[in-house]
Amino acid sequence: MTQRTTEGTFCLVLHSHLPWLAHHGAWPVGEEWLYQAWAHSYLPVVDMLRRFADEGRSDVLTLGVTPVLAAQLDDPYSLRGMHDWLGNWHLRSHFAGERLKELSAYEHRASRWALDRFETQWRHGFSPVLRSLVDSSTIELLGGPATHPFQPLLDPKVRAFALKAGLDDTALRIGRAPDGIWAPECGYSPGMEAGYATAGVKRFMVDGPALHGDTSAAHPVGSSDVLAFGRDLEVSYRVWSPKVGYPGDAAYRDFHTYDHPTGLKPSRVTGKNVAPEDKRPYDPLLAKEALDRHVADFVDTVVRRLREIDGGLVVAAYDTELYGHWWHEGPLWLEAVLRALPEAGVRVTTLRGAVEAGHVGAPVELPASSWGSGKDWRVWDGAQVADIVSLNESVQKELLGLDFSSRTRNPVLDQAVREALLALSSDWAFMVTKDSAADYARYRAKIHSDRFSELAALARSGRGLGRATELRAADGPFGHLDARGMG
């Protein structure tokens, strides 16, 4: 497709991530979270990208997929669970027909479509699907550290190991390591670029304020050749911000209101202060009208912003799970925007494509930063999560004190390191600070740190193979992980 590029360059970056959920509860937090995001975000977003690939379009968007999410989407246990979940959704759509006929028909079509896509394209996991999109250059893939830890709070040795384990895992699944990463939580501390350069990372994401608002180009960090791209918050916040955004429109489907007998969502947002029982029924036609308005608004916003910066670069970045899971109409909006922007004279490309187009500015010194509240580290290092911070420090101290000098692999140490990485996931502190299933998050941080300490003690005594084998059956991502890399 030939693009009429007179306005400037736009990059859409999607960050796909969920913590390791397999074997750790089902509802309301746990595997249900994985299956909902899979059905409502990953299936439709990937289907959209396959359509673009079939049309011959390249560099459509930059897709970040964390190694821990990729591991779940390839895991046989999760694949079986997902198939069961989709079948259950289809059955629930039939059951709803007794009371909610229009919703039943709508959900029947959606669940039948999802089952068809899963059974014909996903039964061997995500990696074959993802690799085809990477190989065709439809997308640029971003990787990251193995379990999505908040890197600024890691010991440099642990940080380097987690990043290498993540890049190695992506290389195994896709055929090569990615050139860029989504730095977990956009977390940065001065000097991290040196570790990125050593690991072969050429570019990473930060939030706009880390670049003091100058997001109209990528910038080399310090004296390195590693490039930092920043989110343009003026554009990104049109879709979703801490307070406002398109998904809150009264016509869109309400995420929080359930028909409890079926688990389906029958209502539209209606209003911010409207009680669930008073919300109006969902109407796809009204939602389509709102979507058309918001597509036009976003395109106008991008064009206006590009003119303000003299045709430079605009990077908008979001969680992939916003599209479909949290915002039901999101995948339709996404495709419409990616088709409308070229028609408005905007070059749509990837971070790689932006570099090739010359959108690289002067070197910068970045401050300690994140994309969390306050744009600092408070979400992951604040008073609310002092217990998790202390736990993480203890895990790292014990981890660094283990003996990794063996000439042969030690499955007990391998599993100990695996549990340590799971304990260090940034998700647990985030969920506590945001009061989102905080008890579950604290439980997950504690159970993985306890399992790590148990295995570490067994490894020091030369025992523990049976226990390591048992724990790996539940927490088994990154089968290639070799603890000797910590040595």
Side-chain angles (χ1 to χ4, degrees):
M1 177 179 177
T2 301
Q3 298 188 28
R4 176 175 57 86
T5 55
T6 59
E7 300 292 354
T9 299
F10 173 80
C11 293
L12 179 71
V13 182
L14 295 181
H15 167 52
S16 315
H17 170 66
L18 290 176
W20 180 255
L21 299 167
H23 306 283
H24 287 284
W27 174 269
V29 186
E31 293 174 12
E32 178 75 14
W33 186 10
L34 171 65
Y35 300 144
Q36 285 189 18
W38 200 336
H40 304 314
S41 291
Y42 309 143
L43 285 179
V45 168
V46 166
D47 195 64
M48 173 197 74
L49 292 170
R50 289 174 69 100
R51 286 195 295 277
F52 281 127
D54 290 343
E55 295 168 13
R57 279 188 61 171
S58 60
D59 287 330
V60 173
L61 56 80
T62 301
L63 182 67
V65 179
T66 61
V68 70
L69 175 62
Q72 291 178 95
L73 300 184
D74 281 345
D75 184 74
Y77 172 86
S78 296
L79 287 165
R80 288 192 300 271
M82 180 58 181
H83 195 225
D84 290 345
W85 191 93
L86 290 172
N88 180 266
W89 176 21
H90 197 55
L91 290 174
R92 287 185 284 121
S93 74
H94 285 274
F95 180 67
E98 298 178 12
R99 297 177 300 105
L100 304 164
K101 291 185 178 180
E102 291 187 11
L103 177 67
S104 175
Y106 182 84
E107 292 287 321
H108 181 273
R109 291 191 295 271
S111 59
R112 180 65 263 173
W113 176 90
L115 269 167
D116 176 73
R117 288 299 186 274
F118 184 80
E119 291 176 346
T120 58
Q121 299 173 7
W122 285 71
R123 290 305 298 273
H124 298 292
F126 183 35
S127 291
V129 181
L130 181 60
R131 184 166 184 168
S132 70
L133 296 172
V134 173
D135 288 348
S136 65
S137 297
T138 305
I139 64 169
E140 176 188 1
L141 180 67
L142 299 183
T147 58
H148 205 255
F150 191 73
Q151 296 180 105
L153 298 180
L154 296 184
D155 178 275
K157 192 172 183 180
V158 178
R159 183 192 304 158
F161 180 85
L163 179 57
K164 185 177 186 304
L167 294 174
D168 287 350
D169 189 76
T170 301
L172 282 173
R173 296 179 195 279
I174 306 302
R176 59 185 181 275
D179 289 335
I181 67 166
W182 180 279
E185 317 296 2
C186 293
Y188 174 82
S189 63
M192 278 175 50
E193 66 278 1
Y196 288 160
T198 299
V201 173
K202 297 178 181 178
R203 45 191 171 269
F204 68 104
M205 287 291 303
V206 296
D207 212 2
L211 290 170
H212 308 290
D214 181 15
T215 59
S216 61
H219 293 271
V221 182
S223 60
S224 75
D225 294 325
V226 181
L227 299 176
F229 285 83
R231 283 202 310 163
D232 186 309
L233 295 189
E234 179 180 330
V235 174
S236 295
Y237 278 0
R238 294 299 293 177
V239 179
W240 192 247
S241 79
K243 295 182 179 179
V244 297
Y246 301 149
D249 188 275
Y252 288 139
R253 197 173 193 180
D254 187 69
F255 174 82
H256 299 284
T257 303
Y258 283 88
D259 171 62
H260 289 283
T262 62
L264 304 178
K265 299 173 183 177
S267 305
R268 57 181 184 258
V269 172
T270 310
K272 290 184 178 179
N273 299 314
V274 178
E277 63 271 16
D278 296 327
K279 291 184 181 289
R280 302 294 298 164
Y282 180 64
D283 184 339
L285 294 179
L286 286 178
K288 179 63 167 61
E289 292 174 3
L291 186 142
D292 290 342
R293 293 196 306 272
H294 291 144
V295 169
D297 178 78
F298 188 79
V299 171
D300 289 346
T301 299
V302 171
V303 170
R304 183 172 64 250
R305 179 67 172 144
L306 286 170
R307 290 173 180 173
E308 290 174 359
I309 59 176
D310 298 323
L313 172 68
V314 164
V315 178
Y318 310 96
D319 289 334
T320 305
E321 297 78 22
L322 172 64
Y323 296 94
H325 178 47
W326 299 108
W327 179 19
H328 178 70
E329 298 80 8
L332 294 175
W333 179 91
L334 198 62
E335 181 167 359
V337 161
L338 291 170
R339 294 190 183 282
L341 282 169
E343 294 300 319
V346 177
R347 176 194 291 111
V348 174
T349 190
T350 56
L351 301 183
R352 174 186 59 219
V355 174
E356 293 171 352
H359 294 292
V360 178
V364 295
E365 299 292 337
L366 295 176
S369 55
S370 78
W371 75 340
S373 302
K375 306 305 179 185
D376 53 24
W377 300 350
R378 71 186 68 173
V379 172
W380 300 274
D381 195 22
Q384 283 179 274
V385 290
D387 56 332
I388 292 179
V389 172
S390 177
L391 202 63
N392 288 348
E393 290 173 348
S394 297
V395 166
Q396 292 186 76
K397 183 178 180 180
E398 186 171 11
L399 180 63
L400 291 167
L402 291 173
D403 180 5
F404 296 105
S405 63
S406 172
R407 297 181 61 183
T408 57
R409 285 189 66 171
N410 183 334
V412 181
L413 282 177
D414 289 349
Q415 186 60 30
V417 172
R418 195 174 285 114
E419 296 287 353
L421 293 178
L422 290 169
L424 294 170
S425 168
S426 69
D427 298 271
W428 316 137
F430 177 87
M431 293 167 71
V432 171
T433 299
K434 297 299 182 180
D435 195 23
S436 171
D439 290 343
Y440 178 86
R442 281 198 161 95
Y443 162 77
R444 290 296 304 277
K446 185 68 165 58
I447 195 171
H448 291 300
S449 63
D450 286 350
R451 289 174 175 178
F452 160 69
S453 292
E454 177 189 2
L455 290 169
L458 288 168
R460 284 191 291 267
S461 66
R463 299 180 294 116
L465 181 58
R467 182 60 171 152
T469 302
E470 176 188 352
L471 290 176
R472 184 172 175 183
D475 296 327
F478 320 125
H480 61 88
L481 187 147
D482 187 339
R484 292 173 297 177
M486 277 293 304

mmCIF file of all heavy atoms in Angstrom, residues 24-46:
data_model
loop_
_atom_site.group_PDB
_atom_site.id
_atom_site.type_symbol
_atom_site.label_atom_id
_atom_site.label_comp_id
_atom_site.label_asym_id
_atom_site.label_seq_id
_atom_site.Cartn_x
_atom_site.Cartn_y
_atom_site.Cartn_z
ATOM 1 N N HIS A 24 -2.468 -20.839 39.132
ATOM 2 C CA HIS A 24 -2.536 -19.958 40.308
ATOM 3 C C HIS A 24 -3.922 -19.319 40.416
ATOM 4 O O HIS A 24 -4.075 -18.105 40.331
ATOM 5 C CB HIS A 24 -1.443 -18.890 40.237
ATOM 6 C CG HIS A 24 -0.074 -19.430 40.506
ATOM 7 N ND1 HIS A 24 0.375 -19.748 41.763
ATOM 8 C CD2 HIS A 24 0.933 -19.755 39.662
ATOM 9 C CE1 HIS A 24 1.602 -20.224 41.699
ATOM 10 N NE2 HIS A 24 1.969 -20.243 40.432
ATOM 11 N N GLY A 25 -4.921 -20.158 40.627
ATOM 12 C CA GLY A 25 -6.269 -19.653 40.815
ATOM 13 C C GLY A 25 -6.982 -19.416 39.499
ATOM 14 O O GLY A 25 -6.368 -19.377 38.427
ATOM 15 N N ALA A 26 -8.291 -19.281 39.589
ATOM 16 C CA ALA A 26 -9.095 -19.098 38.383
ATOM 17 C C ALA A 26 -9.894 -17.804 38.421
ATOM 18 O O ALA A 26 -9.749 -16.942 37.570
ATOM 19 C CB ALA A 26 -10.036 -20.284 38.200
ATOM 20 N N TRP A 27 -10.747 -17.649 39.427
ATOM 21 C CA TRP A 27 -11.665 -16.513 39.469
ATOM 22 C C TRP A 27 -11.683 -15.927 40.870
ATOM 23 O O TRP A 27 -11.583 -16.684 41.836
ATOM 24 C CB TRP A 27 -13.086 -16.990 39.090
ATOM 25 C CG TRP A 27 -14.129 -15.930 39.233
ATOM 26 C CD1 TRP A 27 -14.902 -15.663 40.333
ATOM 27 C CD2 TRP A 27 -14.526 -14.969 38.261
ATOM 28 N NE1 TRP A 27 -15.726 -14.601 40.113
ATOM 29 C CE2 TRP A 27 -15.516 -14.148 38.833
ATOM 30 C CE3 TRP A 27 -14.114 -14.702 36.952
ATOM 31 C CZ2 TRP A 27 -16.121 -13.090 38.154
ATOM 32 C CZ3 TRP A 27 -14.725 -13.661 36.275
ATOM 33 C CH2 TRP A 27 -15.716 -12.882 36.872
ATOM 34 N N PRO A 28 -11.778 -14.608 41.026
ATOM 35 C CA PRO A 28 -11.889 -13.576 39.986
ATOM 36 C C PRO A 28 -10.552 -13.160 39.381
ATOM 37 O O PRO A 28 -10.514 -12.468 38.370
ATOM 38 C CB PRO A 28 -12.524 -12.410 40.744
ATOM 39 C CG PRO A 28 -12.017 -12.560 42.140
ATOM 40 C CD PRO A 28 -11.947 -14.039 42.379
ATOM 41 N N VAL A 29 -9.444 -13.543 40.050
ATOM 42 C CA VAL A 29 -8.130 -13.251 39.492
ATOM 43 C C VAL A 29 -7.416 -14.581 39.290
ATOM 44 O O VAL A 29 -7.536 -15.487 40.094
ATOM 45 C CB VAL A 29 -7.304 -12.355 40.439
ATOM 46 C CG1 VAL A 29 -5.994 -11.947 39.777
ATOM 47 C CG2 VAL A 29 -8.087 -11.124 40.843
ATOM 48 N N GLY A 30 -6.677 -14.682 38.211
ATOM 49 C CA GLY A 30 -5.975 -15.918 37.905
ATOM 50 C C GLY A 30 -6.177 -16.261 36.448
ATOM 51 O O GLY A 30 -6.131 -15.390 35.577
ATOM 52 N N GLU A 31 -6.435 -17.520 36.178
ATOM 53 C CA GLU A 31 -6.527 -17.965 34.791
ATOM 54 C C GLU A 31 -7.661 -17.284 34.020
ATOM 55 O O GLU A 31 -7.551 -17.075 32.810
ATOM 56 C CB GLU A 31 -6.682 -19.483 34.748
ATOM 57 C CG GLU A 31 -5.435 -20.225 35.227
ATOM 58 C CD GLU A 31 -5.626 -21.720 35.334
ATOM 59 O OE1 GLU A 31 -6.644 -22.229 34.831
ATOM 60 O OE2 GLU A 31 -4.759 -22.398 35.921
ATOM 61 N N GLU A 32 -8.738 -16.933 34.697
ATOM 62 C CA GLU A 32 -9.832 -16.227 34.023
ATOM 63 C C GLU A 32 -9.336 -14.941 33.373
ATOM 64 O O GLU A 32 -9.776 -14.573 32.275
ATOM 65 C CB GLU A 32 -10.942 -15.914 35.029
ATOM 66 C CG GLU A 32 -12.120 -15.130 34.459
ATOM 67 C CD GLU A 32 -13.050 -15.963 33.595
ATOM 68 O OE1 GLU A 32 -12.942 -17.209 33.640
ATOM 69 O OE2 GLU A 32 -13.880 -15.383 32.874
ATOM 70 N N TRP A 33 -8.444 -14.260 34.033
ATOM 71 C CA TRP A 33 -7.841 -13.026 33.512
ATOM 72 C C TRP A 33 -7.121 -13.319 32.194
ATOM 73 O O TRP A 33 -7.286 -12.592 31.198
ATOM 74 C CB TRP A 33 -6.890 -12.495 34.571
ATOM 75 C CG TRP A 33 -6.254 -11.173 34.332
ATOM 76 C CD1 TRP A 33 -6.541 -10.261 33.353
ATOM 77 C CD2 TRP A 33 -5.204 -10.598 35.111
ATOM 78 N NE1 TRP A 33 -5.733 -9.159 33.474
ATOM 79 C CE2 TRP A 33 -4.909 -9.342 34.535
ATOM 80 C CE3 TRP A 33 -4.494 -11.029 36.229
ATOM 81 C CZ2 TRP A 33 -3.913 -8.502 35.064
ATOM 82 C CZ3 TRP A 33 -3.513 -10.194 36.752
ATOM 83 C CH2 TRP A 33 -3.230 -8.948 36.174
ATOM 84 N N LEU A 34 -6.341 -14.383 32.171
ATOM 85 C CA LEU A 34 -5.627 -14.776 30.959
ATOM 86 C C LEU A 34 -6.592 -15.089 29.830
ATOM 87 O O LEU A 34 -6.438 -14.596 28.699
ATOM 88 C CB LEU A 34 -4.740 -15.989 31.250
ATOM 89 C CG LEU A 34 -4.089 -16.671 30.049
ATOM 90 C CD1 LEU A 34 -3.094 -15.744 29.369
ATOM 91 C CD2 LEU A 34 -3.406 -17.969 30.477
ATOM 92 N N TYR A 35 -7.620 -15.894 30.109
ATOM 93 C CA TYR A 35 -8.514 -16.343 29.041
ATOM 94 C C TYR A 35 -9.367 -15.196 28.507
ATOM 95 O O TYR A 35 -9.640 -15.137 27.300
ATOM 96 C CB TYR A 35 -9.387 -17.493 29.542
ATOM 97 C CG TYR A 35 -8.594 -18.689 30.007
ATOM 98 C CD1 TYR A 35 -9.009 -19.457 31.096
ATOM 99 C CD2 TYR A 35 -7.402 -19.050 29.376
ATOM 100 C CE1 TYR A 35 -8.268 -20.554 31.530
ATOM 101 C CE2 TYR A 35 -6.661 -20.140 29.808
ATOM 102 C CZ TYR A 35 -7.098 -20.889 30.891
ATOM 103 O OH TYR A 35 -6.354 -21.968 31.315
ATOM 104 N N GLN A 36 -9.793 -14.293 29.371
ATOM 105 C CA GLN A 36 -10.558 -13.138 28.886
ATOM 106 C C GLN A 36 -9.708 -12.264 27.966
ATOM 107 O O GLN A 36 -10.169 -11.844 26.894
ATOM 108 C CB GLN A 36 -11.070 -12.314 30.066
ATOM 109 C CG GLN A 36 -12.236 -12.925 30.809
ATOM 110 C CD GLN A 36 -12.844 -11.965 31.819
ATOM 111 O OE1 GLN A 36 -12.634 -10.759 31.763
ATOM 112 N NE2 GLN A 36 -13.607 -12.502 32.758
ATOM 113 N N ALA A 37 -8.473 -11.968 28.394
ATOM 114 C CA ALA A 37 -7.605 -11.138 27.561
ATOM 115 C C ALA A 37 -7.279 -11.837 26.243
ATOM 116 O O ALA A 37 -7.211 -11.204 25.180
ATOM 117 C CB ALA A 37 -6.319 -10.804 28.320
ATOM 118 N N TRP A 38 -7.080 -13.142 26.301
ATOM 119 C CA TRP A 38 -6.779 -13.932 25.103
ATOM 120 C C TRP A 38 -7.948 -13.853 24.120
ATOM 121 O O TRP A 38 -7.752 -13.595 22.926
ATOM 122 C CB TRP A 38 -6.539 -15.366 25.542
ATOM 123 C CG TRP A 38 -5.776 -16.255 24.607
ATOM 124 C CD1 TRP A 38 -5.637 -16.136 23.260
ATOM 125 C CD2 TRP A 38 -5.029 -17.416 24.991
ATOM 126 N NE1 TRP A 38 -4.873 -17.169 22.772
ATOM 127 C CE2 TRP A 38 -4.478 -17.959 23.811
ATOM 128 C CE3 TRP A 38 -4.798 -18.073 26.195
ATOM 129 C CZ2 TRP A 38 -3.711 -19.127 23.822
ATOM 130 C CZ3 TRP A 38 -4.021 -19.221 26.203
ATOM 131 C CH2 TRP A 38 -3.478 -19.737 25.028
ATOM 132 N N ALA A 39 -9.152 -14.086 24.622
ATOM 133 C CA ALA A 39 -10.330 -14.124 23.748
ATOM 134 C C ALA A 39 -10.682 -12.754 23.186
ATOM 135 O O ALA A 39 -11.017 -12.621 22.001
ATOM 136 C CB ALA A 39 -11.524 -14.696 24.517
ATOM 137 N N HIS A 40 -10.605 -11.740 24.026
ATOM 138 C CA HIS A 40 -11.145 -10.439 23.648
ATOM 139 C C HIS A 40 -10.110 -9.446 23.145
ATOM 140 O O HIS A 40 -10.485 -8.451 22.509
ATOM 141 C CB HIS A 40 -11.907 -9.838 24.827
ATOM 142 C CG HIS A 40 -12.999 -10.717 25.350
ATOM 143 N ND1 HIS A 40 -13.905 -11.351 24.514
ATOM 144 C CD2 HIS A 40 -13.331 -11.099 26.610
ATOM 145 C CE1 HIS A 40 -14.755 -12.061 25.243
ATOM 146 N NE2 HIS A 40 -14.421 -11.931 26.506
ATOM 147 N N SER A 41 -8.822 -9.716 23.393
ATOM 148 C CA SER A 41 -7.773 -8.825 22.882
ATOM 149 C C SER A 41 -6.831 -9.528 21.915
ATOM 150 O O SER A 41 -6.698 -9.130 20.761
ATOM 151 C CB SER A 41 -6.957 -8.229 24.039
ATOM 152 O OG SER A 41 -7.726 -7.319 24.784
ATOM 153 N N TYR A 42 -6.193 -10.591 22.370
ATOM 154 C CA TYR A 42 -5.142 -11.201 21.540
ATOM 155 C C TYR A 42 -5.705 -11.807 20.252
ATOM 156 O O TYR A 42 -5.121 -11.630 19.174
ATOM 157 C CB TYR A 42 -4.356 -12.246 22.331
ATOM 158 C CG TYR A 42 -3.837 -11.754 23.657
ATOM 159 C CD1 TYR A 42 -3.803 -12.572 24.782
ATOM 160 C CD2 TYR A 42 -3.388 -10.429 23.807
ATOM 161 C CE1 TYR A 42 -3.324 -12.112 26.006
ATOM 162 C CE2 TYR A 42 -2.926 -9.962 25.030
ATOM 163 C CZ TYR A 42 -2.902 -10.809 26.126
ATOM 164 O OH TYR A 42 -2.436 -10.359 27.336
ATOM 165 N N LEU A 43 -6.826 -12.504 20.335
ATOM 166 C CA LEU A 43 -7.395 -13.095 19.112
ATOM 167 C C LEU A 43 -7.776 -12.021 18.096
ATOM 168 O O LEU A 43 -7.378 -12.102 16.929
ATOM 169 C CB LEU A 43 -8.600 -13.970 19.450
ATOM 170 C CG LEU A 43 -8.327 -15.336 20.089
ATOM 171 C CD1 LEU A 43 -9.648 -16.048 20.370
ATOM 172 C CD2 LEU A 43 -7.457 -16.202 19.207
ATOM 173 N N PRO A 44 -8.565 -10.994 18.462
ATOM 174 C CA PRO A 44 -8.946 -10.010 17.444
ATOM 175 C C PRO A 44 -7.801 -9.125 16.971
ATOM 176 O O PRO A 44 -7.757 -8.766 15.786
ATOM 177 C CB PRO A 44 -10.041 -9.178 18.138
ATOM 178 C CG PRO A 44 -9.881 -9.420 19.592
ATOM 179 C CD PRO A 44 -9.328 -10.802 19.716
ATOM 180 N N VAL A 45 -6.865 -8.757 17.851
ATOM 181 C CA VAL A 45 -5.750 -7.912 17.416
ATOM 182 C C VAL A 45 -4.859 -8.678 16.440
ATOM 183 O O VAL A 45 -4.449 -8.146 15.398
ATOM 184 C CB VAL A 45 -4.947 -7.402 18.626
ATOM 185 C CG1 VAL A 45 -3.636 -6.766 18.176
ATOM 186 C CG2 VAL A 45 -5.777 -6.383 19.417
ATOM 187 N N VAL A 46 -4.577 -9.935 16.728
ATOM 188 C CA VAL A 46 -3.765 -10.735 15.814
ATOM 189 C C VAL A 46 -4.508 -10.963 14.500
ATOM 190 O O VAL A 46 -3.908 -10.935 13.419
ATOM 191 C CB VAL A 46 -3.373 -12.071 16.473
ATOM 192 C CG1 VAL A 46 -2.826 -13.055 15.440
ATOM 193 C CG2 VAL A 46 -2.340 -11.830 17.565
#
